[in-house]
Amino acid sequence: MAKKLDDITNRRLTVIPFKRPDKPNRETRIFTPTCGCGAEAEYEVYDNLQPHCKNCTQEAMTSTIKPFVRPIGGFDDAS
């Protein structure tokens, strides 16, 4: 069945095919915080718990005011 040119250009009558986007099969993504220097963080430093690598943590410890330092994920128990 041939269509008229007006039917094809009429947007209300045009059927636009839609393909659902493929969802990537990804494994569980694990968040690893990074230090400001780009290395993987191992410690949380200062009162606002900034992530720092081992070298940056040692550099922060050399300051005159000793910051609060803890390993990432530490002190989570409620005992």
Side-chain angles (χ1 to χ4, degrees):
M1 180 173 144
K3 294 189 178 186
K4 296 179 186 176
L5 184 61
D6 294 337
D7 292 342
I8 294 173
T9 57
N10 188 351
R11 290 210 172 257
R12 291 185 297 161
L13 300 177
T14 306
V15 177
I16 301 171
F18 177 76
K19 181 181 179 243
R20 291 184 181 220
D22 296 331
K23 292 184 180 178
N25 295 330
R26 27 181 167 153
E27 299 175 9
T28 304
R29 185 174 179 176
I30 298 173
F31 173 73
T32 54
T34 56
C35 180
C37 66
E40 185 176 338
E42 300 176 21
Y43 297 97
E44 292 175 335
V45 185
Y46 304 112
D47 293 334
N48 54 359
L49 304 177
Q50 300 173 5
H52 285 293
C53 64
K54 190 171 187 176
N55 293 335
C56 294
T57 301
Q58 290 175 352
E59 184 179 338
M61 292 297 290
T62 60
S63 65
T64 56
I65 300 171
K66 300 297 181 200
F68 175 75
V69 177
R70 72 176 188 182
I72 289 182
F75 308 132
D76 286 338
D77 59 347
S79 59

